[in-house]
Amino acid sequence: TYVVLKVQNLKSTTTDRRGSEPCWEQDFMFEIRADGKGFLIELWKKGLLWDSILGVLWIPLAMVERATDEGPGSWWTLHSEVIKNGSEIQGTKTPTPHEILLDVYFALPF
């Protein structure tokens, strides 16, 4: 499995991991505009011919706290559907059995 993070026009992908409880322990840092709405996390299962999506999660930037250092993170339930208003993502719905542990924060200067 692997994770794809999308924020504004930026996209990053984790490395592939095997097993039922994969651990990526990868840090991603994005410089984004303050007027952004949020970001999308996608969990994918690598396939022989094509990959399949296991779940998605929309995190509004208004929910992201500011911090100077990493924290313990939080478990987030992944969903199977993305809610859109036109082309703009509004959220996600319909929970799946999959969860992901994320530590999400705006980094403050030292």
Side-chain angles (χ1 to χ4, degrees):
T1 53
Y2 61 95
V3 176
V4 176
L5 296 94
K6 297 177 181 177
V7 59
Q8 294 173 3
N9 330 1
L10 306 170
K11 176 179 158 180
S12 285
T13 304
T14 65
T15 55
D16 299 349
R17 294 284 187 243
R18 295 185 185 272
S20 61
E21 294 183 15
C23 183
W24 295 277
E25 292 191 31
Q26 286 183 244
D27 294 332
F28 294 95
M29 185 178 292
F30 299 97
E31 286 190 32
I32 58 173
R33 294 183 315 274
D35 64 350
K37 304 279 189 241
F39 62 97
L40 189 68
I41 308 246
E42 301 173 341
L43 178 65
W44 288 85
K45 180 181 177 184
K46 200 99 167 131
L48 195 55
L49 298 176
W50 55 81
D51 300 349
S52 57
I53 194 155
L54 297 174
V56 293
L57 174 65
W58 174 254
I59 300 178
L61 293 181
M63 291 181 59
V64 178
E65 296 184 17
R66 287 159 171 66
T68 54
D69 204 4
E70 294 179 11
S74 300
W75 284 99
W76 299 77
T77 300
L78 297 174
H79 298 94
S80 61
E81 298 179 65
V82 175
I83 303 166
K84 287 187 174 184
N85 182 3
S87 63
E88 190 173 295
I89 297 173
Q90 301 290 310
T92 52
K93 66 179 183 176
T94 314
T96 69
H98 305 291
E99 292 185 327
I100 190 165
L101 177 63
L102 300 171
D103 185 20
V104 179
Y105 60 94
F106 284 114
L108 295 173
F110 296 107

